[in-house]
């Protein structure tokens, strides 16, 4: 088994669930949210490993690129906030820079690296 860390993925919508931001440091978990009528590629961020208490979502652009990548995950993906939320525009809410990671089979390393190259800053180890 190998690990991959994908950097500079943004979490959004924290204020809709009652939390103003994700705490920097703790590990959160994320998974594809099936049946989301507004975004079929939606990836939600959860407080617990069982993916029960949703806190926010990954930014729509990041989720669209990650949809072909998270299928390689063996178990839940984990997420860690790197900085506090930033506001980039007056038309969008705050976004929080995070890293996402997961474990995958070593036999899929070359396929996964080919998908990740050019799409994300990443480390495979």
């Amino acid at each position: 088994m190998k690990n991959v860390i994908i950097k500079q993925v943004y979490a959004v919508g924290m204020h809709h669930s009652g939390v103003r931001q994700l705490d920097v440091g703790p590990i959160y978990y994320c998974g594809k949210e099936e049946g989301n009528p507004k975004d079929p590629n939606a990836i939600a961020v959860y407080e617990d490993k069982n993916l029960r208490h949703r806190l926010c979502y990954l930014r729509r652009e990041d989720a669209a690129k990650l949809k072909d990548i998270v299928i390689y995950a063996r178990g839940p993906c984990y997420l860690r906030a790197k900085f506090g939320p930033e506001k980039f525009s007056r038309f969008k809410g705050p976004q929080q820079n995070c890293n996402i990671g997961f474990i995958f089979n070593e036999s899929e390393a070359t396929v996964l690296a080919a998908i990740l190259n050019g799409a994300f800053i990443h480390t495979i180890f």
Side-chain angles (χ1 to χ4, degrees), residues 5 11 13 29 34 47 55 94-95 105:
I5 304 291
Y29 300 92
E34 301 294 337
E47 189 173 42
L55 298 174
Q95 301 179 25
N105 288 333

Side-chain angles (χ1 to χ4, degrees), residues 4-11 58-59 62 65-66 69 78-83 96-102 116 118-125:
V4 63
I5 304 291
I6 301 168
K7 300 176 181 176
Q8 295 181 343
V9 176
Y10 287 89
L58 294 185
R59 185 173 61 174
D62 293 335
K65 288 194 274 185
L66 282 168
I69 297 168
Y78 49 91
L79 179 133
R80 181 171 284 166
K82 302 309 283 179
F83 305 104
Q96 195 161 359
N97 190 341
C98 303
N99 289 352
I100 186 173
F102 57 87
L116 285 168
F120 289 103
I121 300 170
H122 66 281
T123 304
I124 295 177
F125 56 96

Side-chain angles (χ1 to χ4, degrees), residues 51-123:
L51 308 180
R52 290 191 190 132
H53 184 248
R54 186 182 70 231
L55 298 174
C56 59
Y57 290 95
L58 294 185
R59 185 173 61 174
R60 189 176 298 236
E61 305 91 89
D62 293 335
K65 288 194 274 185
L66 282 168
K67 72 178 168 118
D68 296 328
I69 297 168
V70 295
I71 58 173
Y72 292 99
R74 301 296 169 238
C77 298
Y78 49 91
L79 179 133
R80 181 171 284 166
K82 302 309 283 179
F83 305 104
E86 304 171 54
K87 189 130 167 87
F88 294 109
S89 130
R90 66 186 191 121
F91 301 110
K92 291 186 177 186
Q95 301 179 25
Q96 195 161 359
N97 190 341
C98 303
N99 289 352
I100 186 173
F102 57 87
I103 298 170
F104 66 97
N105 288 333
E106 195 167 338
S107 61
E108 299 167 333
T110 54
V111 174
L112 193 56
I115 295 169
L116 285 168
N117 285 340
F120 289 103
I121 300 170
H122 66 281
T123 304

